[in-house]
Amino acid sequence: CAVFVPYALWPDTVTSPFQFASQARLMVLTLCFGVLIGIGLTVPAAAAVSITNERDNELLDQLRLTLISNGGYVRGKAIASAVFGTLLILGLLPVLSVAQFIFGLDNRQIVQLIVYLLVFTLMCAMCGVASATLFRRTLVAVAVVYAAMSVALFFPAFFFMRVILVMTGMAWMPGM
């Protein structure tokens, strides 16, 4: 994603630094959108698989004998599966720091992006845990959480991204 985004969104002609800065902001936002998709594909499945595998291996009954509360168990599973998304966000930090240094992104904008991605990661983890608690089989839980996430998030996001690019007059690929 980090290689494809600059190639796809590199401007054909740049006449001023302000135009290049706005194009760079679009590149950073598109890269964050790629990370958003990566989080949406890994975190819900990891959360759903973690609970259903324990149920399939009959380890869930043994966990009920411990002093862990039901809420603590669910929170622990959600946080443990949110670590995958957090690692993707940590991988994005060097790119954001370069964008801040070269293109002049504001600290507030970078903090807003990171907070938004962290909240999205926790939401994906909770959706995966909810799917795993509703369905007993691993494949069904993962399929339901992917369907719910795609209907609720990805279809409107693709639609609005396309609308924004059409409204700003920008193309998906160079030369289009």
Side-chain angles (χ1 to χ4, degrees):
C1 186
V3 174
F4 179 72
V5 168
Y7 172 73
L9 297 175
W10 195 261
D12 292 333
T13 59
V14 176
T15 57
S16 74
F18 297 111
Q19 288 177 347
F20 187 70
S22 67
Q23 190 73 19
R25 283 186 181 90
L26 181 66
M27 285 185 212
V28 168
L29 288 176
T30 307
L31 187 61
C32 288
F33 185 72
V35 170
L36 190 80
I37 290 175
I39 290 170
L41 291 176
T42 57
V43 172
V49 167
S50 67
I51 293 178
T52 55
N53 274 346
E54 285 184 1
R55 189 180 295 138
D56 288 343
N57 294 334
E58 297 176 2
L59 296 173
L60 197 57
D61 294 329
Q62 294 175 2
L63 278 174
R64 289 183 183 163
L65 297 175
T66 63
L67 297 176
I68 300 173
S69 66
N70 290 337
Y73 174 73
V74 169
R75 279 191 305 272
K77 287 296 181 180
I79 290 171
S81 60
V83 168
F84 295 114
T86 307
L87 289 175
L88 285 173
I89 295 169
L90 288 176
L92 184 67
L93 287 180
V95 175
L96 290 177
S97 65
V98 168
Q100 179 188 15
F101 181 70
I102 294 175
F103 306 126
L105 286 180
D106 189 20
N107 287 338
R108 194 185 83 221
Q109 292 172 337
I110 292 176
V111 169
Q112 285 175 348
L113 282 173
I114 292 170
V115 167
Y116 177 75
L117 289 174
L118 286 172
V119 168
F120 180 72
T121 301
L122 288 175
M123 188 195 69
C124 288
M126 292 308 294
C127 287
V129 167
S131 175
T133 56
L134 291 175
F135 300 101
R136 300 234 177 242
R137 305 188 74 189
T138 305
L139 187 62
V140 175
V142 171
V144 167
V145 76
Y146 276 156
M149 295 295 291
S150 65
V151 168
L153 299 171
F154 294 131
F155 290 137
F158 282 123
F159 173 73
F160 287 121
M161 187 175 179
R162 179 66 182 159
V163 167
I164 288 171
L165 288 176
V166 167
M167 287 174 55
T168 57
M170 297 180 189
W172 285 95
M173 298 294 285
M176 290 181 72

